[in-house]
Amino acid sequence: MSTIPSIGQSVSRLEGKLKVTGTAKYAGDYQVPGLLYGYVINSIITKGKIIRFDTSKATALPGVIAVFNHTNRPSLAWFSMQYTDMDAPPGSPFRPLRDEEILYNGQPIGLVVAETFELARYAATLVEVEYETEAFETDLRNNASEARSPKMGMATMLKPLPPRPKGNFEKAFEQSFAQSSGEYYHGTEHHNPLELFATTTIYEGKGKLTIYDKTQGTINSQLYVANIFGLKYKNVRVIAPYVGGAFGSGLRPQYQLFLSVMAALELKRSVLVTLDRSQMFTFGHRPPTIQSTRFGADENGKVTALNHAAIAETSRFEDYTEVVVNWSHMLYPAENTLMQYKLVELDVFTPLDMRAPGGSTGLHAIESTMDDLSYKLKIDPLELRLINYSDTDVSLNRPYSSKELRQCYLHGAEKFGWKNRNPEPRSMRNGNKLVGYGMATGIWEANSLPARAEAIITRDGKLHVNSAVTDIGTGTLTVMSQIAADELGLRVEDVTFSYGDSQKPFAPIQGGSFTVSTVGSAIKAAGSALRKKLFKIAVSMEGALLKGLEIEDVRFENGCIVLKTDPFTFISFTDIIEANGGTPVKVIKFSVPNLLKLKKYSRATHAAAFVEVEVDEELGIINVTRALTAVAAGRIINPKTARSQILGGMVWSISKALREETINDSLLGKYMNQNLSEYHIPVHADIHDLDVIFVEEKDDIVNELGTKGVGEIGLVGMPPAIANAVYHATGKRINQFPIHFDYLL
Amino acid sequence: MNNFNYLRASDVQDAISQSAREADVKYLAGGTNLIDLMKYNLTRADILVDINRISDHREITELPDGGLRLGAFVKNAATAWNHLVEEHYPLLSKAILAGASAQIRNMATNGGNLLQRTRCYYFYDANVPCNKREPGSGCSAITGYQRIMAILGTTEHCIAVFPSDMCVALAALDAVVQVEGPQGMRSIHFADFHRLPGDTPHIDNNLKPGEIITGIDLPAKGFSKNYSYLKLRDRNSYAFALVSVATGLELDGETITDARIALGGVAHKPWRVAAAEDFLKGKTASGENFRQAAEIIVQGAVGYEHNAFKIELAKRAIVRNCMMALHPESQLPGAQPSA
């Protein structure tokens, strides 16, 4: 009777009941006695200076404690570097309330603190601010001629610049048998997690703070606060056990954290600052990006020339970059390539990673161009991908640690019924609806970073695992518990995973689809070390059954160390702890990816997306009636939570291709639809039949667990697959996202 | 949101007398729009008079002439699902259910539906010019992003649209609005209730100060055999119409004996053109005739950079919806296009 391995099982979210019953507490839910409430005042101009800031009417209201602005804020850290967080791009990070300068519309310029939220919000309307305005630019397309190369910095390590040109692109393109070129565009998008950004700073006295923050990195927030406010690291504790979605918006500390902490320290009181929905549009976002592609192929469909150029938005103070143009050559082995990536500075806040940053942008252009090329070559779009299939990453001349994309194509096509597609556009119908099939490839990096984890067996024989990592709603708690359970041969119920707390062992920010690989590897390493430690005690126990044995001779199962050759010879963890004088057995392990080994390989997840759309021929209304994504992402720890990640990416794909856009009025220099009524994300009626397949993929190189992460891959291939399906249905190729139905009239 | 006093009116007369105070008084019914506007500081009131406790005007009753009176305080959802409405005025039922969300329809009242304000982005942003919000400040929409804006009846002062679905059906059905005010009771024909922007876009309708809507009368003719409501929007639910159409047809065989066509999402009020309806009378119910009627309806339409598509879309929507009215049994939920 051995413990059934938990990895590979569809364990339901361990915190699911707490969440659906409203018992889980989020950053803004900590109602401590004497709590004060902050409401942020935002700039209503786009660029210029504050010349008057009159708070007298607000502060005269009973119950209003203080109004902070650039004139009365405490003195703060001087150097730009002290404001630099783990995800800061090259440049000088934005400093809230720094001075009278206005850098973008919606910039926080003040904080009203009052006894109630409603009072703070009302008092904020009584604050009178006068500005001196200056000319501004917020439109990427109007300023594309200002594009320049991005600055280099730490961020370029995880976000490599475009690869060097190969061969002679212009010549090869000109001489190619078939050519496709296109201009692609998407505007600004905002993350809009359901949970509003909030920070509750509990003022503990003696220089100590406990901070409940909405973040994707507790230690990132901790270091940010300590550095700016000159506090000792150990005196700043940041807690974030539940995060109501973030999608990248929590990768950098947002201004409510700064303001909440500043007010708490100044007032020596606990302060909650919650943003409202319109304020959720006043920090990072997916940058608008203009792309152009030119692909050439020979008569057999072999791609010979690849050119992909992108111009993206950034702020005036930081160079935010994405990996947009590197992907085509990772997929398709052309001899001649030319990749370009440039930035335009505008009077906006610095863009911020938003689910599948760069990948979902770049693959839109790449996979739409491949689709177009397939029609020019009269080759089935799927066949064209197979013709250009490469087992190695030609862009870097190295093998993939694993790549089962071919199986994604084949299994996906089979289950979707791709063979029923008539290649001719406008040839398939359902009543008065035009039917289209489209497909596209997805690719995303499979990174891992260093992390630390602690594992403890307590007197009751149960396992406790600790990490500072957050769970941004992806199922981290559940899968980490599964990994830990298997390592010690326990059931998931016997594992307590404590996380979302900066006092726990180090974990990097949670993003980039690298959390399972990063923290999971640390937990595996800690579990393995704990096994050895338990075994060492067990062999030395008095009258020990295991005397003289090696760890290879035993198994860990059901909370016991069991002799492989004789299942009736075992020692329980509880007995081991008793033998240890009742003291829990504890290990902390630091796991670092083996870069020497890893750098010989490219590591990526892959996917193939298949989409069916129906388009009303006269009215243009588009519905994604059916979609399937086949994913190769290494070992899947939990099929249920992994499937949810892909489904979420697929819903978002429908959103990205057909629904969401932040309306940017460049005359006013501001966003005009700062609410969920007019920022359109899909409703239930937009979502029809969605299917997910995970293909088998064994990877001994990527990390000890063989996992690659599934957070982003669902949002890379499907948006272009939708655009390709719309083309197949209508014969119209729309290269701008979202595709408004009236473009098809 | 500013500080305000909150009062509860015991009956309509009580509410009206409260409105005579020397203060900015607003009636609070479902609150689904008013509270939002107050939270955004777009509307302020010194006194909110809650009219939800008034016991009158909470029913849907048959009128002696065969019509129906919808109490002003009946919720939108209760109206849509009322068996008399469903049976005799399915067009109205369908239009209501195409609007907002189930939660909002459960709160919103019939009277309040007529009084909701535009969802123009620029009206909703207190920090940009808007003649509707601040007369004389200018119209930011004309130089801005006009996707959701009007194509008919606009002026240089305002291109906002009236957002209601319910009212598009009420316009098509020739409803009559019953109001009570300081000067007593009166009736307003639906076509005269809402206003075009002209040079006073801040005035949405012809209610006089202190007047309360008490009911909406539907004439006996309900077009329950051949009707359709079509709503075209940027997602399949919970979005305002870019173009919507309410159609009621009366047929003798294939000949049209009476026709009503009202458009939503294209103007400052539901848009009806008598000439188009007259054109259809005596004609065969055919796509060609509907197309000609559509041309008449959108005559004089002016498109801007981002909403010019609405002109052609409106025409196509009219034709489709008239065709759909011939087969009401095959219509889809959510006022989506069907064959």
Side-chain angles (χ1 to χ4, degrees):
Chain A
M1 189 190 77
S2 65
T3 319
I4 299 161
S6 174
I7 290 178
Q9 303 293 318
S10 283
V11 178
S12 291
R13 277 162 207 270
L14 302 178
E15 82 288 16
K17 191 175 171 187
L18 289 178
K19 283 182 172 169
V20 298
T21 55
T23 329
K25 282 169 112 180
Y26 292 82
D29 293 340
Y30 291 84
Q31 303 283 326
V32 297
L35 183 66
L36 296 175
Y37 297 81
Y39 190 82
V40 181
I41 302 169
N42 301 82
S43 167
I44 64 167
I45 69 158
T46 306
K47 194 174 187 179
K49 281 185 179 58
I50 300 166
I51 53 171
R52 190 171 73 89
F53 201 110
D54 185 349
T55 64
S56 52
K57 284 182 191 155
T59 47
L61 285 177
V64 172
I65 307 295
V67 181
F68 293 100
N69 62 25
H70 62 285
T71 64
N72 67 350
R73 62 155 174 80
S75 64
L76 296 162
W78 186 255
F79 296 104
S80 182
M81 221 178 85
Q82 289 165 289
Y83 293 79
T84 303
D85 61 273
M86 291 180 185
D87 194 35
S92 304
F94 172 68
R95 305 188 197 185
L97 310 192
R98 181 188 192 182
D99 54 27
E100 68 278 13
E101 297 286 333
I102 301 298
L103 305 174
Y104 72 98
N105 207 301
Q107 175 178 324
I109 56 169
L111 180 76
V112 180
V113 183
E115 300 283 359
T116 67
F117 171 78
E118 289 75 12
L119 181 60
R121 185 176 61 180
Y122 170 57
T125 67
L126 303 181
V127 172
E128 291 169 15
V129 184
E130 259 182 70
Y131 305 88
E132 200 175 271
T133 61
E134 289 170 28
F136 52 80
E137 294 292 339
T138 60
D139 189 291
L140 178 67
R141 282 181 287 193
N142 291 347
N143 291 277
S145 59
E146 304 290 315
R148 58 157 176 82
S149 296
K151 295 185 197 103
M152 305 282 283
M154 285 292 283
T156 27
M157 287 172 61
L158 272 180
K159 291 178 170 180
L161 292 171
R164 291 169 188 282
K166 271 190 195 170
N168 184 336
F169 168 79
E170 295 296 346
K171 194 175 160 203
F173 180 70
E174 198 182 307
Q175 293 175 351
S176 57
F177 171 79
Q179 298 165 342
S180 172
S181 57
E183 297 282 329
Y184 296 82
Y185 179 76
H186 72 80
T188 309
E189 297 167 14
H190 279 85
H191 306 70
N192 274 309
L194 195 56
E195 182 199 11
L196 299 164
F197 268 77
T199 303
T200 309
T201 302
I202 310 293
Y203 187 78
E204 310 275 14
K206 294 179 185 167
K208 283 195 175 182
L209 300 175
T210 301
I211 301 168
Y212 297 96
D213 187 31
K214 179 185 176 74
T215 178
Q216 291 173 251
T218 54
I219 291 178
N220 195 25
S221 292
Q222 177 201 24
L223 299 183
Y224 179 80
V225 165
N227 288 343
I228 293 172
F229 294 98
L231 303 170
K232 290 181 179 156
Y233 293 144
K234 67 177 168 76
N235 285 345
V236 179
R237 182 181 183 191
V238 176
I239 300 177
Y242 305 111
V243 180
F247 314 116
S249 60
L251 289 173
R252 303 191 67 185
Q254 300 304 350
Y255 62 75
Q256 91 290 342
L257 171 66
F258 173 95
L259 294 171
S260 165
V261 170
M262 178 200 69
L265 289 171
E266 283 297 287
L267 300 171
K268 302 189 176 4
R269 301 271 302 267
S270 299
V271 178
L272 163 62
V273 178
T274 302
L275 302 189
D276 65 23
R277 182 57 64 182
S278 65
Q279 290 167 334
M280 297 289 284
F281 289 77
T282 59
F283 47 92
H285 50 268
R286 195 193 297 278
T289 307
I290 304 164
Q291 300 180 72
S292 65
T293 52
R294 288 183 293 163
F295 291 4
D298 67 18
E299 61 273 26
N300 299 318
K302 278 270 182 201
V303 175
T304 53
L306 291 171
N307 170 216
H308 188 183
I311 298 174
E313 172 206 79
T314 193
S315 68
R316 301 261 185 221
F317 44 95
E318 286 172 311
D319 270 15
Y320 171 82
T321 60
E322 294 181 338
V323 178
V324 176
V325 299
N326 304 20
W327 306 101
S328 63
H329 200 29
M330 287 178 72
L331 287 166
Y332 307 121
E335 304 281 327
N336 306 280
T337 65
L338 179 61
M339 309 301 176
Q340 297 143 309
Y341 179 75
K342 289 191 166 163
L343 296 179
V344 174
E345 282 177 31
L346 294 171
D347 298 297
V348 296
F349 195 79
T350 308
L352 178 56
D353 288 338
M354 180 165 157
R355 202 172 193 181
S360 70
T361 299
L363 271 290
H364 169 209
I366 296 162
E367 288 299 285
S368 298
T369 309
M370 286 297 280
D371 196 65
D372 186 50
L373 199 56
S374 79
Y375 289 93
K376 298 213 160 116
L377 287 158
K378 296 193 167 45
I379 294 175
D380 179 274
L382 175 59
E383 182 60 26
L384 183 64
R385 268 70 169 193
L386 292 170
I387 289 170
N388 287 285
Y389 195 88
S390 171
D391 287 311
T392 59
D393 176 359
V394 180
S395 73
L396 297 170
N397 266 325
R398 58 193 188 192
Y400 280 103
S401 63
S402 60
K403 180 181 175 180
E404 296 295 347
L405 174 59
R406 188 188 301 277
Q407 296 309 314
C408 295
Y409 288 139
L410 299 179
H411 287 305
E414 170 72 26
K415 191 161 184 211
F416 178 82
W418 183 255
K419 66 176 190 298
N420 301 325
R421 176 180 182 273
N422 181 329
E424 196 60 33
R426 299 181 70 86
S427 62
M428 294 169 70
R429 279 178 177 273
N430 176 17
N432 62 349
K433 309 273 198 314
L434 298 165
V435 175
Y437 283 10
M439 61 83 56
T441 313
I443 178 168
W444 188 251
E445 59 205 355
N447 276 327
S448 53
L449 296 172
R452 201 180 278 277
E454 182 177 42
I456 307 163
I457 292 286
T458 46
R459 204 162 185 168
D460 54 5
K462 312 259 184 200
L463 174 62
H464 297 258
V465 181
N466 297 320
S467 163
V469 73
T470 47
D471 181 344
I472 51 175
T474 46
T476 309
L477 162 63
T478 311
V479 300
M480 294 306 157
S481 301
Q482 288 178 261
I483 292 166
D486 279 12
E487 210 51 41
L488 270 300
L490 289 165
R491 299 172 307 162
V492 171
E493 302 89 280
D494 296 323
V495 180
T496 303
F497 181 54
S498 301
Y499 63 101
D501 182 346
S502 64
Q503 285 188 346
K504 308 282 181 203
F506 172 84
I509 44 181
Q510 185 177 18
S513 297
F514 53 61
T515 296
V516 171
S517 300
T518 297
V519 180
S521 294
I523 289 173
K524 189 169 169 63
S528 168
L530 185 59
R531 271 204 321 263
K532 285 180 193 141
K533 206 162 173 182
L534 290 168
F535 181 75
K536 204 174 157 194
I537 298 168
V539 289
S540 65
M541 277 165 71
E542 225 169 296
L545 300 157
L546 304 177
K547 198 152 236 159
L549 294 175
E550 298 296 325
I551 197 161
E552 291 73 29
D553 301 324
V554 298
R555 277 199 298 263
F556 286 69
E557 59 188 41
N558 298 318
C560 300
I561 300 177
V562 185
L563 192 58
K564 280 183 185 166
T565 53
D566 173 12
F568 296 103
T569 301
F570 60 86
I571 299 176
S572 71
F573 292 174
T574 50
D575 286 346
I576 295 171
I577 305 300
E578 284 314 313
N580 197 41
T583 309
V585 177
K586 182 192 316 193
V587 296
I588 297 185
K589 284 298 278 186
F590 191 49
S591 84
V592 182
N594 183 348
L595 291 177
L596 282 176
K597 176 172 140 195
L598 290 176
K599 74 177 189 184
K600 294 178 195 150
Y601 300 90
S602 282
R603 291 152 285 135
T605 54
H606 293 90
F610 296 87
V611 168
E612 177 191 88
V613 298
E614 285 189 3
V615 181
D616 189 292
E617 189 173 7
E618 288 156 25
L619 302 174
I621 300 288
I622 308 163
N623 274 297
V624 175
T625 44
R626 218 153 54 81
L628 179 144
T629 300
V631 181
R635 188 183 192 191
I636 300 301
I637 304 287
N638 182 330
K640 186 174 182 179
T641 53
R643 181 171 180 273
S644 289
Q645 283 300 297
I646 302 302
L647 286 177
M650 292 174 75
V651 170
W652 201 323
S653 296
I654 292 172
S655 190
K656 185 171 173 57
L658 302 176
R659 296 288 181 259
E660 70 183 293
E661 59 181 330
T662 304
I663 295 161
N664 183 348
D665 186 313
S666 58
L667 280 182
L668 298 169
K670 67 188 305 188
Y671 305 130
M672 293 315 303
N673 56 337
Q674 302 192 154
N675 56 68
L676 288 183
S677 174
E678 299 298 339
Y679 187 92
H680 291 143
I681 56 170
V683 291
H684 288 297
D686 293 326
I687 305 303
H688 302 281
D689 183 7
L690 301 182
D691 197 2
V692 180
I693 300 175
F694 290 107
V695 305
E696 284 284 324
E697 186 175 73
K698 190 165 159 39
D699 194 323
D700 298 326
I701 291 154
V702 69
N703 59 48
E704 289 277 302
L705 288 159
T707 58
K708 288 180 171 178
V710 290
E712 271 133 320
I713 187 66
L715 177 53
V716 181
M718 189 168 147
I722 293 171
N724 295 343
V726 167
Y727 175 78
H728 181 236
T730 65
K732 286 187 180 154
R733 192 165 288 284
I734 310 296
N735 291 345
Q736 175 163 342
F737 278 169
I739 299 173
H740 287 150
F741 69 91
D742 48 273
Y743 299 167
L744 301 175
L745 293 181
Chain B
M1 183 179 275
N2 63 294
N3 286 328
F4 57 87
N5 287 312
Y6 170 87
L7 302 173
R8 280 179 187 159
S10 54
D11 56 34
V12 170
Q13 273 310 313
D14 179 29
I16 291 168
S17 66
Q18 299 292 354
S19 76
R21 290 164 176 251
E22 284 292 310
D24 200 344
V25 179
K26 292 245 168 350
Y27 299 132
L28 173 68
T32 55
N33 191 206
L34 178 63
I35 300 297
D36 277 356
L37 292 166
M38 291 180 71
K39 280 184 177 171
Y40 284 116
N41 293 305
L42 304 173
T43 294
R44 49 172 297 130
D46 300 315
I47 301 171
L48 272 193
V49 177
D50 187 340
I51 53 176
N52 287 297
R53 311 292 169 117
I54 294 172
S55 53
D56 300 329
H57 314 301
R58 314 192 70 86
E59 285 175 353
I60 292 174
T61 47
E62 288 175 276
L63 294 169
D65 66 355
L68 205 60
R69 172 163 295 177
L70 312 174
F73 305 145
V74 179
K75 302 293 188 183
N76 285 177
T79 305
W81 299 115
N82 177 278
H83 69 281
L84 292 170
V85 174
E86 284 188 291
E87 193 179 330
H88 300 296
Y89 307 93
L91 174 62
L92 176 62
S93 190
K94 206 168 174 226
I96 293 173
L97 294 177
S101 65
Q103 294 91 330
I104 291 172
R105 296 192 297 266
N106 284 340
M107 285 299 290
T109 63
N110 291 337
N113 190 297
L114 275 59
L115 301 181
Q116 63 182 303
R117 309 214 64 192
T118 183
R119 263 49 171 211
C120 172
Y121 316 124
Y122 300 92
F123 172 75
Y124 256 77
D125 184 333
N127 301 315
V128 305
C130 168
N131 287 323
K132 183 180 269 301
R133 186 166 23 77
E134 213 178 308
S137 62
C139 174
S140 301
I142 287 177
T143 52
Y145 186 65
Q146 313 100 356
R147 179 169 179 78
I148 63 173
M149 306 301 167
I151 51 169
L152 286 160
T154 55
T155 64
E156 58 183 316
H157 304 287
C158 182
I159 59 169
V161 302
F162 178 62
S164 170
D165 290 298
M166 178 179 180
C167 289
V168 182
L170 291 175
L173 292 167
D174 264 344
V176 176
V177 184
Q178 304 295 345
V179 303
E180 199 170 331
Q183 270 77 52
M185 299 190 224
R186 65 183 181 118
S187 304
I188 308 172
H189 191 269
F190 206 83
D192 301 324
F193 186 84
H194 293 105
R195 296 161 59 102
L196 287 177
D199 57 4
T200 55
H202 58 291
I203 308 172
D204 288 350
N205 58 59
N206 289 314
L207 276 186
K208 291 176 185 157
E211 282 187 328
I212 289 182
I213 299 170
T214 56
I216 299 160
D217 289 358
L218 301 173
K221 199 186 247 188
F223 299 90
S224 60
K225 274 214 185 82
N226 289 103
Y227 68 92
S228 182
Y229 188 71
L230 173 64
K231 185 174 182 182
L232 303 177
R233 43 182 158 174
D234 275 329
R235 62 181 167 190
N236 288 339
S237 176
Y238 199 59
F240 293 99
L242 289 163
V243 170
S244 71
V245 193
T247 299
L249 297 175
E250 195 178 65
L251 299 170
D252 179 5
E254 289 185 6
T255 307
I256 299 164
T257 54
D258 197 1
R260 305 279 176 79
I261 301 172
L263 291 184
V266 295
H268 204 258
K269 61 187 285 188
W271 196 260
R272 258 183 81 179
V273 177
E277 296 172 8
D278 290 341
F279 164 83
L280 285 174
K281 279 177 204 164
K283 300 272 191 332
T284 308
S286 72
E288 179 47 37
N289 284 327
F290 293 136
R291 179 79 197 181
Q292 287 195 43
E295 295 288 349
I296 299 170
I297 292 171
V298 300
Q299 243 167 40
V302 178
Y304 296 84
E305 184 185 354
H306 309 109
N307 73 346
F309 71 89
K310 280 190 176 188
I311 299 172
E312 178 60 24
L313 184 67
K315 290 187 216 171
R316 294 187 189 190
I318 291 166
V319 176
R320 173 67 68 83
N321 196 48
C322 289
M323 298 305 285
M324 283 163 62
L326 304 176
H327 305 283
E329 68 287 348
S330 61
Q331 289 171 26
L332 300 169
Q336 292 182 61
S338 58

